Amino acid sequence: DPTITRITTTPPPASSIFLTKAASLTDTNGDGSIGLGDTITYTIVATNNGGDVLTNVTISDQLSDLNGNALTLTTTPVFVSSSQSSPAGTLEIGEQATYRATFIVNNQAMNAGGVSNTATVTAQGTSGMVTDNSDDPATTTPNDATVTILSITPPSSSIVLTKAASLPDTNGDGSIGIGDIITYTIVATNNGGDVLTNVTISDQ
């Protein structure tokens, strides 16, 4: 009988990648509200959730206002670190890479009421190129844009003033009266939502 050798081929591992993008807000100008001149920081995380090593990992980013008009990031996505110490552009199986981008809020974003941001990742795997659009981890909708709402309502300004009197027996005659000194302690408190300047006290 003939000697038969059967050859089976193992399919290559499936390549896959998953991308998330979260936004945090910083009151850069210290006015007590998030708006014009403040910074939105985007944290972008790419995860190799497939079965092989990924290379040529690339992040692209699209920012627009809530009217759909294009905006430009202040700083484009920059590689920060990876969970298994791989260099930028490489992801081992199960590894995560973190990138960071920023946008300083401008008049266009304020007038539109906010910004919408979607990042896209592409990478080379054994089975070919893989890609994914970013998902906002703060929502349950898959692969949705990261939306930041900005308020055009200025913070309310407010101040409260108290004044207390103390009456020591300044001249030591055993009673409070002629020649004694009344000391007033005046306290101004900013109990509003923004910084107050030119604070002036007048007295009657």
Side-chain angles (χ1 to χ4, degrees):
D1 58 331
T3 302
I4 298 174
T5 303
R6 300 188 182 278
I7 299 174
T8 60
T9 58
T10 302
S15 304
S16 182
I17 195 165
F18 178 66
L19 193 68
T20 63
K21 185 167 197 177
S24 61
L25 305 173
T26 303
D27 183 13
T28 309
N29 57 20
D31 65 356
S33 67
I34 299 299
L36 188 64
D38 293 325
T39 301
I40 304 174
T41 300
Y42 294 103
T43 300
I44 306 162
V45 178
T47 302
N48 180 351
N49 61 342
D52 59 351
V53 177
L54 298 177
T55 58
N56 297 324
V57 179
T58 305
I59 304 288
S60 60
D61 202 288
Q62 181 179 358
L63 181 68
S64 65
D65 63 32
L66 293 188
N67 293 326
N69 300 310
L71 289 166
T72 302
L73 286 167
T74 305
T75 59
T76 55
V78 174
F79 176 77
V80 177
S81 63
S82 60
S83 60
Q84 297 181 34
S85 302
S86 292
T90 300
L91 281 174
E92 299 290 333
I93 298 171
E95 187 173 23
Q96 293 184 325
T98 301
Y99 300 78
R100 191 159 292 133
T102 62
F103 174 66
I104 296 177
V105 178
N106 58 19
N107 283 314
Q108 179 184 337
M110 289 298 298
N111 292 336
V115 297
S116 176
N117 190 238
T118 298
T120 301
V121 62
T122 58
Q124 178 67 55
T126 303
S127 57
M129 297 295 294
V130 289
T131 186
D132 188 48
N133 290 329
S134 62
D135 174 72
D136 184 352
T139 71
T140 57
T141 304
N143 290 88
D144 58 330
T146 302
V147 175
T148 303
I149 303 298
L150 301 170
S151 174
I152 60 174
T153 303
S156 59
S157 302
S158 180
I159 194 169
V160 63
L161 192 68
T162 61
K163 184 170 189 175
S166 61
L167 306 172
D169 180 12
T170 309
N171 59 17
D173 64 0
S175 65
I176 301 299
I178 294 175
D180 293 323
I181 297 174
I182 304 173
T183 299
Y184 294 102
T185 300
I186 307 165
V187 177
T189 302
N190 179 353
N191 62 340
D194 60 352
V195 176
L196 300 177
T197 58
N198 299 321
V199 178
T200 305
I201 304 291
S202 60
D203 197 289
Q204 182 178 352

